[in-house]
Amino acid sequence: MSIARRTILALALAAGVALPAMTAAEAETLKIGVLATFEGAFTVLGEDSERGALTALDEFAHKAGGKDIEFIRGSSDASPDSAVRAARKLVEQDGVKILIGPLSGDEGIAVKEYAKTKPDVTFINGSSAAQDTTFRNPAPNFFRFSTDGAQWMAGLGTYAFKDKGYKSVAVVAEDYSFPYTQVFGFMAEFCKAGGHVPSKSWVPIGTKDFSSVIAALPDKVDAIYVALGGADAVNFLSQYQQAGGQAPLIGGSITVDQTVLTTKGKLHDVLIGTPSAGPTADTLDTPEWKAFVDEYKKQKGAFPSPSLFAHAYYVNAKAALLALNEVKGDLSDGGKAYRAALAKLSFMTPTGKVSLDQNREAIADIFLTEVTQGPDGALLNKLVKRIPQVNQTLGIDEAAFRALGTVSRDNPRCP
Amino acid sequence: MASSIAASRLQGTGTNALELDNVGRHFGALVALSGITMRIAAGARRAVLGSNGAGKTTLFNAITGDFLPSYGRIRFFGEDITGLAPQERIRRGLRRTYQISQLFRNLSVRDSVYLACRGVSNGRFSLVRPGAGDGAMLQAESILHAVHLDAEADVLVGTLSHGEQRQLEIALALAGAPRFILFDEPAAGLSPTERRDLIEILNALPRHIGFVIIEHDLDVALRVSDYVSMMHNGRLFKEGTPEEIENDAEVQQIYLGGGHG
Amino acid sequence: MSDNADQGRQALIGSGTGGGLTLRQVRTLFWLIVAAALAWLFIARWPEWLDGLLISKKAFLSAILNGLTLAGLYFLVASGFTLVFGLMRNVNLAHGSLYLLGAYIGYEVATVTGVWLLGVAAGFVVLAVVGLVMQILIFRRLEGDDLRQTLVTIGISIVAADLMLAVWSGSTYQISPPDWLQGAVKLPFATAYRSNGSVIYLTYPFYRLVVFAAAVAIGLGLWLMLNRTRIGMMIRAGVDDRAMLAASGKNVHLIFATVFAIGAGLAGFAGVVGGSALSVAPGEDVRYLLASLVVVIVGGMGSVTGAAIGALIIGLSEQIGLVYFPTYGVVLTFVIMVVTLSIRPQGLMGRAR
Amino acid sequence: MSLLTEVGSPAASRPHFPELFTQGHALLGFVLLVYPALASDFFVTQIGAYSLIVGLIALSLMVLAGYGGMVSMAQITIAGAAAYVVAILGDNNSGVHGLGWSWWIVVPVAAGSASVLSAIFGWIAVRTEGIYTIMITLAIATACFYFTQQNYALFNGFPGYSGLRAPTVLGVYWRDPQPFYYLCLTVAAIGYVAVLYAARSTFGLTLQAIRDNPRRMRAIGFDVTAHKVFAWWLAGLLAGVAGVLLAWFNGRVSPGTIAVAPAINILVVAVIGGLRHPIGPFVGALVVVVIQTFAIDIVGAERFNTLIGLFFLVIVFISPDGILGLWARYGPHPERDGKTSG
């Protein structure tokens, strides 16, 4: 039958492609996989991530441990399934021994699970920031030199309660794990300080019309904590403004990042003065940060200021290269020595010192910021306070922190 | 279920095959059928004549249950079938053909007739392939022979000529054990030769099978029937033997004169 | 038994004449209840216990008003969809892409010229032309092959989404309506009383009221066009019986092209209007396609009145769901759809075939 | 609706099952059997096994669309349902459910639930006809996607379940590349042969006749609705079994598995391959999986969707019968048979 013959041809072709690709791995060039989101709505973020990783590579002049380093891209569409498929391709087809990525939280958990099945490959996080990637059931070969979503909130709850004097805050957040984590990080401090969160509105991702949600917010709160990203954040903020919302806002890390601040339209009034916290601050004026921004800007299509995705990929890529130098590019023992070097690694990033805890999770500085208008009229995050060396348990004793349980819609509570 | 059908068949012998009592149907304000009363004996062959829009096909649809009459009663071999579902009527031995062929374009002729035979028997549902010795398959072969389609058995229905499709229409109605068939313009679009063939097929049907035939071609209608009903504007207005109708002055004036187009 | 079933069917269609309430009476009763409820909302005090149930009068009224505006937007998108389907039996699964493209074009034109109304006009005109081109280049070639037409629209929507992502990236755009359309208006609904007894009235964004008014106006316009103009009559005849339209020797191609242009143009128009009320971002195409699907399935294929009713039901339930049971609010609209289907497969205003 | 037409092959009366025993099938079988010996692990699982799984899901669509004239967008949803059952009743490491039942209970329950769900979808969808079915099933698929995303009690919401593992039976871990490939191959072959056989069974003929003319089928005594719903049930069984394999393949299941894009993807696969013959979905799956995997090396991933969309458009435009149709038209074809070109 004709159809059968066609199939055979295709299969033979596929198998034929396989053979040369397998022998292509050479001794002199070391390939590192970079997995980010190059398809779908988050493509912009994926591209900025890649710029971050390339900035690190340029800094090392494309060499580490005496070998030429080459990045191979893997693409997901931000869904965990596609992230695992891309990771598999990089590891099993392209034969990378080191993989940097992925971009978003649930992808991170999925790739961590995959990492457990490939003990000889070293996985270094991209920008994904889910707590459980390293906190519960960690993979021994998964490293994260960037901080998680709860860490990013360090200091914000205390700041809102003590400095801003907010006693009662309502929460509006997207209904999935990353915002759960951010709300957790905020509330862990805020509730402990004595604050109350009488209402939490979990809205589905992709909600466009928030006005009903806004109208249903309780009148008697001092502020509203908003953990929304991208278009959802823009919609909420502009509709909050339209509805004449009076209560001040507190922002999640991606609610007031450059993707939202650079939106065309008038969000200035409602955003200025909004406190937030995260792993970077636009007005950080240390020489390390400035040097990093300059280097970053040399990349094709760079934003005026690196996004936190670019920052996270940069930090993780730099860690990967530093550890390679450490082991002189030798991965012949299945990467054992390399992973030992990574675990011990402690280095200066544009945002301060970073080192790992026993779960291979970063301990790094977090920046408390407030939205202001820059001299050119553009909105940016002004540094308010630097919270030094935040660990994954936010300074709480680990057993006590673990007792708080996994993040969810209802955890934590302090009505 | 099977036994009740058999019982109704037994009980039906000797009564009329089809009885219509004051059957009417209207669509909104449009009266399509009005007060039709009709008795057709088992094995009788009736032609229904009338111009387009006289309500002939509507009458068929009411009898087969394609839609329900607005009022009136229909009995089939003594059993009231007014509210029965179409397939229930089929199982009681009622069949019909369609004015515009309703066939399965992408099936072979044999498979089409096989399915029709299967549809009126028990075990309509089977995940097994029919073998050559299958009862329904054997019946299909003999029906194909009866409608002169043996040579075409393995051809796709969609590639049949118009005349062959009309023959297949009849074949589908012969499946199972038909007791009464409604033929809706079986000769439409046929060539003179094909018409002769059709008359032959219809006259060769077993005598216990009665039928009603709607036909514009008087030649066909009068040569296959033994009684004729005339319809006009949804009503019956004249009945008689073929000779009577052929010679009736009023009929000739209203209908044969210039009514049909 | 059969008679009962038949009568039941007739009552549903609306021509039942038997005892009990006639449809007209039911309708009058319905509007009386609505009017009474509205009057009560205008003047009455909101009893305390309702707060527990409905959060607050302000929240409840906002949900209703937002539901209406959203319904207006859905109607604009879905009316074109339903007309195209009714006439051509062609499910245009690229309809959402037309909405999104209209929004982007509206944004560009409004930004470059600085005139919002020009953006709106461009959204309509450009998309009407796009629709025309699609009809002539694609659908006319696949005439009579409904399924292939539908599959082609899937292909178009995939390519269009990707190309729009390439051009406009994943960023969020907001189209600013002109100042005279912005700001809030005070509506005569009392939401609270100050301690001195003075009344606090509900304020509502003026622009959203305009969106709703525009939807109503366009709905009326469509209705008039379909019922009072020659081409409208031909379209309706075509929706009812396509074969008859073809047989009557009318210029079927002209009618198809007109309907497609109007449908696509309305989607583009809705894109600009909606992009001004909310925002423009990738993914909106699928969202509005799904909304149109559900609206049209609930309302009935090919019926503009049905699209209006469907849009009202879906818009209101979406907003009420968002406020009162956010967790499963998104599922609510689909549940409504499935329930409608199981009771009336052809939709509320659709014709049984 | 030429896209949905099935070539009615002659001789239903032949007693055996002749179309299976052809040179082509023998050759295809041989190549598929020795393929793992020639290819790397990656090609064995990520291309080979994955294509077979996607092909199986698309096959369930082909049964509904090609034979039944019902184009469903909900097949990935049905497969996803089976995957969720595997996650809930079997083991997972998401800390929710994971009842840890043995595979020999989990697998039949998963496939069974999927087929029942499919029959329910079918029961809703068959109330409408033709082109409506696409819309209704798309809407149902979306509703299920949202529901799983929002529901934590049963579906663990947005993250879904991870850590699903294939069982170890007879000392073999069935997710290892070679065993998993042969497992998928066996299941796909059974599905393929079953569909090939059933197409010419009484039920298969009935389904095709209903596709061609439901009114006449009613008139010759068939219960059209029941047959259509049964077709949905059968297709659901195929998709359900594929869903179990998909769960083991990915090791996880989440709302993203059953989102709108994957739903459309299955339709794209089936149409690109061709809906006329049960081999079509597998051909389509292989082509799409290969393109999907290697697009990033060739054109860069950014415009991957444009590539696949254009490919789809071209296929729909020039060959309504997909790649199979192209082959029938342009491939070497000595035994070409005039009758089948209708």
Side-chain angles (χ1 to χ4, degrees):
Chain A
M1 241 165 111
S2 52
I3 299 137
R5 245 174 265 139
R6 168 117 194 164
T7 314
I8 291 154
L9 193 76
L11 281 172
L13 212 73
V17 176
L19 300 175
M22 285 182 61
T23 53
E26 287 171 42
E28 273 318 293
T29 305
L30 187 75
K31 287 180 176 176
I32 296 181
V34 175
L35 169 58
T37 303
F38 299 117
E39 299 161 44
F42 292 153
T43 306
V44 190
L45 308 181
E47 285 168 356
D48 205 44
S49 304
E50 193 185 20
R51 278 178 218 122
L54 287 173
T55 308
L57 189 62
D58 288 349
E59 191 178 312
F60 282 74
H62 296 249
K63 275 189 200 314
K67 288 183 177 169
D68 288 336
I69 305 294
E70 190 190 318
F71 279 172
I72 302 184
R73 303 203 307 172
S75 168
S76 78
D77 58 11
S79 75
D81 291 13
S82 70
V84 172
R85 258 203 310 279
R88 280 210 172 105
K89 192 214 162 221
L90 289 171
V91 171
E92 297 169 26
Q93 171 64 15
D94 300 323
V96 302
K97 293 290 168 210
I98 302 167
L99 189 149
I100 299 169
L103 183 129
S104 69
D106 288 297
E107 290 181 277
I109 293 177
V111 169
K112 176 232 343 186
E113 290 300 331
Y114 172 64
K116 290 178 182 170
T117 68
K118 295 282 164 194
D120 287 349
V121 179
T122 306
F123 292 81
I124 301 168
N125 186 52
S127 60
S128 82
Q131 195 175 52
D132 283 351
T133 310
T134 54
F135 194 62
R136 290 182 182 82
N137 305 315
N141 52 340
F142 192 100
F143 297 79
R144 179 155 71 184
F145 289 87
S146 50
T147 36
D148 75 25
Q151 285 173 285
W152 290 354
M153 288 288 96
L156 187 61
T158 315
Y159 180 73
F161 188 84
K162 297 227 170 88
D163 298 35
K164 290 284 186 182
Y166 304 149
K167 305 290 177 240
S168 170
V169 168
V171 166
V172 178
E174 282 157 337
D175 198 1
Y176 73 103
S177 43
F178 176 69
Y180 297 164
T181 312
Q182 290 242 291
V183 170
F184 179 94
F186 171 76
M187 285 177 68
E189 278 187 19
F190 185 71
C191 295
K192 206 168 128 199
H196 294 283
V197 177
S199 94
K200 288 191 244 178
S201 309
W202 299 110
V203 296
I205 314 175
T207 297
K208 292 299 163 236
D209 199 345
F210 287 91
S211 27
S212 301
V213 175
I214 292 167
L217 287 171
D219 296 325
K220 298 180 185 83
V221 292
D222 301 320
I224 297 162
Y225 174 88
V226 186
L228 305 164
D232 292 7
V234 172
N235 282 318
F236 174 85
L237 294 169
S238 61
Q239 288 163 28
Y240 188 68
Q241 187 177 21
Q242 272 179 20
Q246 298 300 320
L249 302 176
I250 305 168
S253 302
I254 60 168
T255 309
V256 290
D257 75 352
Q258 283 296 323
T259 54
V260 175
L261 296 181
T262 53
T263 302
K264 288 108 192 158
K266 322 179 210 175
L267 290 176
H268 292 72
D269 311 345
V270 68
L271 273 171
I272 288 175
T274 301
S276 176
T280 62
D282 296 331
T283 62
L284 187 62
D285 59 357
T286 60
E288 296 91 346
W289 176 256
K290 283 182 170 160
F292 168 60
V293 173
D294 288 343
E295 285 306 309
Y296 162 83
K297 279 187 176 165
K298 289 180 189 159
Q299 301 296 331
K300 217 171 72 185
F303 292 152
S305 179
S307 68
L308 54 81
F309 300 96
H311 171 259
Y313 270 82
Y314 168 81
V315 170
N316 282 303
K318 183 165 179 178
L321 298 171
L322 282 172
L324 264 181
N325 277 344
E326 218 59 22
V327 298
K328 313 234 169 346
D330 183 12
L331 299 173
S332 56
D333 56 349
K336 240 179 234 142
Y338 179 66
R339 283 190 290 279
L342 274 175
K344 283 192 309 230
L345 199 61
S346 167
F347 63 103
M348 282 305 287
T349 72
T351 49
K353 188 184 104 151
V354 62
S355 58
L356 296 185
D357 65 14
Q358 75 283 1
N359 285 339
R360 294 158 300 284
E361 167 71 17
I363 299 168
D365 294 355
I366 296 297
F367 301 87
L368 202 63
T369 60
E370 241 175 55
V371 177
T372 56
Q373 197 150 21
D376 55 348
L379 293 182
L380 36 84
N381 281 306
K382 183 185 66 171
L383 177 63
V384 173
K385 195 175 162 195
R386 186 165 182 155
I387 320 289
Q389 298 299 296
V390 176
N391 69 4
Q392 193 163 27
T393 59
L394 307 173
I396 303 172
D397 169 60
E398 188 179 330
F401 190 78
R402 227 169 254 285
L404 295 175
T406 48
V407 300
S408 74
R409 286 184 187 131
D410 301 320
N411 186 36
R413 303 165 46 87
C414 55
Chain B
M1 174 75 85
S3 63
S4 77
I5 294 172
S8 79
R9 240 172 237 176
L10 285 177
Q11 152 206 345
T13 44
T15 59
N16 283 325
L18 199 60
E19 290 174 23
L20 277 72
D21 277 332
N22 190 30
V23 170
R25 168 78 199 194
H26 47 78
F27 298 95
L30 174 78
V31 177
L33 221 52
S34 164
I36 304 284
T37 299
M38 210 184 241
R39 307 235 177 288
I40 303 172
R45 291 160 181 210
R46 173 80 56 102
V48 174
L49 306 181
S51 54
N52 285 331
K56 305 182 302 283
T57 299
T58 310
L59 178 69
F60 272 23
N61 285 336
I63 297 173
T64 56
D66 280 26
F67 51 67
L68 301 174
S70 307
Y71 56 85
R73 293 274 138 211
I74 301 170
R75 267 181 291 278
F76 188 61
F77 285 93
E79 183 188 6
D80 190 335
I81 59 164
T82 316
L84 278 189
Q87 63 266 28
E88 288 299 320
R89 304 176 196 222
I90 301 299
R91 279 167 213 162
R92 282 162 175 72
L94 183 65
R95 303 280 187 278
R96 80 172 292 181
T97 70
Y98 291 85
Q99 191 177 355
I100 298 162
S101 295
Q102 300 281 336
L103 301 170
F104 315 117
R105 289 184 51 80
N106 300 294
L107 258 55
S108 73
V109 171
R110 188 199 312 271
D111 288 348
S112 300
V113 182
Y114 162 74
L115 280 182
C117 296
R118 206 63 198 237
V120 289
S121 65
N122 289 317
R124 276 176 295 283
F125 181 85
S126 163
L127 273 171
V128 178
R129 286 189 176 195
D134 186 284
M137 197 54 92
L138 291 176
Q139 201 198 3
E141 301 288 347
S142 69
I143 290 173
L144 287 177
H145 182 71
V147 298
H148 310 172
L149 275 177
D150 339 43
E152 266 43 70
D154 291 327
V155 170
L156 282 191
V157 173
T159 61
L160 289 179
S161 73
H162 175 76
E164 290 165 337
Q165 293 200 3
R166 302 303 294 172
Q167 280 161 270
L168 183 57
E169 267 288 325
I170 295 171
L172 294 185
L174 293 177
R179 292 197 286 172
F180 203 84
I181 306 177
L182 309 173
F183 290 111
D184 198 347
E185 295 196 31
L190 295 190
S191 70
T193 336
E194 288 168 334
R195 279 168 200 243
R196 272 198 297 282
D197 212 21
L198 174 72
I199 292 168
E200 197 182 307
I201 291 171
L202 291 180
N203 281 330
L205 289 180
R207 277 314 299 184
H208 74 273
I209 301 178
F211 61 73
V212 177
I213 178 168
I214 296 174
E215 193 44 73
H216 280 307
D217 185 332
L218 266 194
D219 193 37
V220 175
L222 299 182
R223 282 176 63 181
V224 299
S225 62
D226 41 41
Y227 205 67
V228 180
S229 300
M230 298 289 301
M231 281 184 75
H232 192 64
N233 286 341
R235 299 175 176 281
L236 279 179
F237 85 96
K238 183 143 286 186
E239 296 192 309
T241 62
E243 294 75 32
E244 285 166 12
I245 293 294
E246 211 167 4
N247 300 324
D248 187 288
E250 198 182 356
V251 171
Q252 286 195 335
Q253 192 186 349
I254 295 177
Y255 175 60
L256 307 176
H260 87 98
Chain C
M1 153 128 185
S2 63
D3 286 357
N4 281 347
D6 212 34
Q7 256 175 20
R9 203 174 304 155
Q10 283 183 347
L12 273 177
I13 302 165
S15 60
T17 50
L21 292 174
T22 64
L23 198 73
R24 186 179 294 270
Q25 284 169 319
V26 171
R27 209 177 282 161
T28 319
L29 196 65
F30 171 76
W31 286 118
L32 274 177
I33 293 172
V34 169
L38 269 179
W40 176 75
L41 281 175
F42 271 115
I43 48 169
R45 263 175 191 276
W46 183 261
E48 285 285 322
W49 58 268
L50 263 179
D51 269 1
L53 204 64
L54 299 172
I55 300 178
S56 70
K57 187 172 179 182
K58 184 176 145 213
F60 177 70
L61 283 176
S62 300
I64 299 290
L65 285 171
N66 289 324
L68 289 178
T69 3
L70 195 61
L73 210 50
Y74 284 169
F75 170 76
L76 289 178
V77 189
S79 53
F81 188 76
T82 199
L83 272 184
V84 168
F85 178 87
L87 194 61
M88 291 170 234
R89 297 292 179 274
N90 162 13
V91 181
N92 181 10
L93 292 179
H95 201 72
S97 313
L98 299 176
Y99 170 93
L100 188 56
L101 182 60
Y104 281 131
I105 286 173
Y107 169 81
E108 293 296 343
V109 172
T111 312
V112 170
T113 62
V115 185
W116 181 77
L117 279 175
L118 270 184
V120 176
F124 182 87
V125 173
V126 173
L127 268 292
V129 172
V130 169
L132 207 60
V133 171
M134 274 171 76
Q135 213 283 321
I136 291 169
L137 286 188
I138 297 163
F139 296 109
R140 197 167 290 179
R141 296 193 181 191
L142 301 174
E143 209 156 281
D145 202 341
D146 312 342
L147 185 73
R148 267 172 88 198
Q149 289 186 346
T150 301
L151 291 175
V152 163
T153 61
I154 291 181
I156 292 174
S157 68
I158 295 173
V159 174
D162 207 40
L163 291 183
M164 284 190 278
L165 192 62
V167 175
W168 284 284
S169 81
S171 310
T172 309
Y173 291 80
Q174 279 202 307
I175 310 169
S176 296
D179 289 338
W180 56 271
L181 282 176
Q182 289 187 356
V185 286
K186 216 176 250 183
L187 295 178
F189 297 107
T191 57
Y193 297 87
R194 289 201 182 84
S195 48
N196 62 7
S198 66
V199 185
I200 303 171
Y201 290 105
L202 181 75
T203 55
Y204 195 74
F206 179 55
Y207 179 73
R208 290 187 163 235
L209 296 176
V210 173
V211 171
F212 184 68
V216 171
I218 284 174
L220 282 177
L222 273 180
W223 189 86
L224 285 176
M225 188 200 83
L226 287 174
N227 289 283
R228 296 279 183 277
T229 65
R230 252 180 68 79
I231 192 149
M233 306 256 189
M234 286 194 276
I235 291 171
R236 283 199 311 146
V239 170
D240 287 347
D241 186 351
R242 196 156 44 147
M244 192 195 82
L245 181 69
S248 68
K250 305 287 190 221
N251 191 340
V252 180
H253 280 156
L254 177 71
I255 294 171
F256 281 12
T258 312
V259 167
F260 219 103
I262 293 176
L266 278 179
F269 175 82
V272 190
V273 171
S276 309
L278 306 169
S279 65
V280 191
E284 293 290 86
D285 45 354
V286 177
R287 211 176 97 86
Y288 279 92
L289 170 67
L290 287 171
S292 306
L293 280 180
V294 176
V295 163
V296 166
I297 290 172
V298 169
M301 282 291 194
S303 161
V304 172
T305 322
I309 294 173
L312 274 177
I313 294 174
I314 299 306
L316 282 171
S317 66
E318 201 173 308
Q319 287 297 320
I320 290 172
L322 192 60
V323 175
Y324 294 109
F325 31 104
T327 306
Y328 295 113
V330 276
V331 186
L332 180 66
T333 55
F334 293 94
V335 171
I336 291 176
M337 183 201 77
V338 170
V339 169
T340 311
L341 267 179
S342 41
I343 299 168
R344 246 180 103 74
Q346 71 273 34
L348 294 178
M349 302 297 287
R351 280 161 191 279
R353 271 167 231 286
Chain D
M1 307 258 277
S2 60
L3 199 83
L4 294 184
T5 55
E6 155 70 358
V7 180
S9 78
S13 58
R14 269 186 231 159
H16 296 302
F17 186 17
E19 64 268 39
L20 186 62
F21 305 101
T22 62
Q23 281 185 335
H25 276 130
L27 193 57
L28 177 66
F30 176 73
V31 170
L32 287 175
L33 281 173
V34 301
Y35 172 67
L38 305 169
S40 68
D41 282 357
F42 176 79
F43 268 84
V44 168
T45 45
Q46 296 299 308
I47 304 294
Y50 186 50
S51 297
L52 289 167
I53 297 170
V54 173
L56 206 51
I57 302 175
L59 179 67
S60 77
L61 170 59
M62 182 267 157
V63 168
L64 286 177
Y67 296 133
M70 301 173 278
V71 182
S72 159
M73 303 279 276
Q75 295 316 104
I76 191 73
T77 312
I78 293 160
Y84 267 110
V85 173
V86 169
I88 293 165
L89 299 185
D91 285 312
N92 70 63
N93 63 8
S94 300
V96 183
H97 297 295
L99 305 181
W101 295 5
S102 314
W103 65 271
W104 51 269
I105 311 180
V106 172
V107 173
V109 171
S113 331
S115 59
V116 169
L117 184 72
S118 177
I120 295 171
F121 288 177
W123 180 78
I124 297 171
V126 299
R127 303 175 68 85
T128 60
E129 270 176 19
I131 223 83
Y132 283 68
T133 311
I134 294 190
M135 307 177 43
I136 277 120
T137 49
L138 179 58
I140 290 174
T142 316
C144 291
F145 161 66
Y146 280 130
F147 187 78
T148 51
Q149 184 171 295
Q150 294 299 114
N151 179 289
Y152 278 80
L154 192 56
F155 295 104
N156 201 28
F158 191 88
Y161 292 99
S162 59
L164 315 184
R165 282 173 62 86
T168 303
V169 183
L170 306 170
V172 177
Y173 175 49
W174 286 94
R175 182 57 184 82
D176 282 337
Q178 319 277 343
F180 188 64
Y181 170 81
Y182 283 114
L183 177 67
C184 292
L185 181 62
T186 310
V187 173
I190 292 172
Y192 171 73
V193 170
V195 170
L196 205 58
Y197 176 83
R200 316 239 11 100
S201 72
T202 303
F203 171 74
L205 291 174
T206 307
L207 190 61
Q208 293 168 62
I210 288 173
R211 172 199 64 201
D212 282 0
N213 199 332
R215 183 178 172 200
R216 186 55 181 259
M217 281 308 274
R218 275 187 206 103
I220 60 176
F222 284 90
D223 186 336
V224 167
T225 307
H227 273 88
K228 281 184 165 180
V229 172
F230 185 77
W232 275 88
W233 184 85
L234 266 188
L237 203 56
L238 283 175
V241 173
V244 173
L245 295 175
L246 189 67
W248 291 344
F249 172 78
N250 281 326
R252 61 187 333 286
V253 57
S254 67
T257 314
I258 56 169
V260 175
I264 291 177
N265 198 36
I266 295 297
L267 181 68
V268 169
V269 163
V271 171
I272 282 183
L275 291 168
R276 287 170 76 113
H277 189 277
I279 198 73
F282 292 102
V283 175
L286 182 67
V287 169
V288 171
V289 167
V290 166
I291 296 179
Q292 210 159 24
T293 309
F294 295 104
I296 188 165
D297 299 333
I298 305 161
V299 292
E302 289 90 342
R303 295 286 78 79
F304 160 72
N305 279 313
T306 303
L307 185 75
I308 198 95
L310 284 175
F311 191 58
F312 179 78
L313 271 180
V314 168
I315 290 280
V316 173
F317 246 100
I318 64 171
S319 172
D321 300 321
I323 292 174
L324 289 189
L326 283 183
W327 181 266
R329 222 183 299 171
Y330 302 112
H333 219 258
E335 72 275 36
R336 191 187 293 264
D337 178 349
K339 250 190 309 196
T340 60
S341 59

